[in-house]
Amino acid sequence: MKLFSYLMALLLFLLQAVPGLSLPKDTLRCIGYHGFCFHSKSCPEPFAAFGTCSRRQKTCCIDTTSNFHTCQDEGGHCVPPEIKCLQEQVGLCPHREWKCCTEV
């Protein structure tokens, strides 16, 4: 699995280096969260849906067995950056700038 992640990072770097071949923003966000893009609307086990890829044509799926759990899986709530958290929680939110909070 680590080898695949390294290869994806290398591919992403090469695609960004060549003008006109950059990936869509939602795909870059998915890869940034160590996600994978699937053609189906539902993710196979042990993956969970976490947004879209390829300009909303595919589903971004993240591995639920890795350290990259969604905020809701960890018992938190995703909030925009302007809201202050009483206690922050580790977990991924669909919007990169948002925070995962256990108490708002």
Side-chain angles (χ1 to χ4, degrees):
M1 189 62 115
K2 286 185 179 182
L3 178 63
F4 183 74
S5 295
Y6 292 133
L7 290 174
M8 288 301 293
L10 179 62
L11 176 66
L12 177 64
F13 174 76
L14 292 174
L15 287 175
Q16 288 179 341
V18 179
L21 292 179
S22 64
L23 296 172
K25 286 183 182 181
D26 58 351
T27 304
L28 290 173
R29 184 173 49 90
C30 182
I31 292 170
Y33 281 125
H34 301 272
F36 303 95
C37 297
F38 289 95
H39 288 284
S40 64
K41 294 295 178 191
S42 61
C43 300
E45 290 291 328
F47 295 93
F50 190 71
T52 62
C53 292
S54 301
R55 296 181 181 90
R56 298 184 184 203
Q57 299 295 317
K58 297 179 184 177
T59 304
C60 175
C61 300
I62 59 170
D63 186 357
T64 58
T65 61
S66 72
N67 292 334
F68 302 99
H69 294 283
T70 63
C71 182
Q72 288 78 13
D73 290 343
E74 299 296 325
H77 305 283
C78 291
V79 296
E82 59 269 9
I83 295 178
K84 293 198 176 216
C85 295
L86 295 176
Q87 184 176 0
E88 282 199 42
Q89 173 73 28
V90 175
L92 300 176
C93 291
H95 304 286
R96 184 171 280 246
E97 308 84 33
W98 287 32
K99 300 178 282 189
C100 182
C101 299
T102 53
E103 294 182 35
V104 181

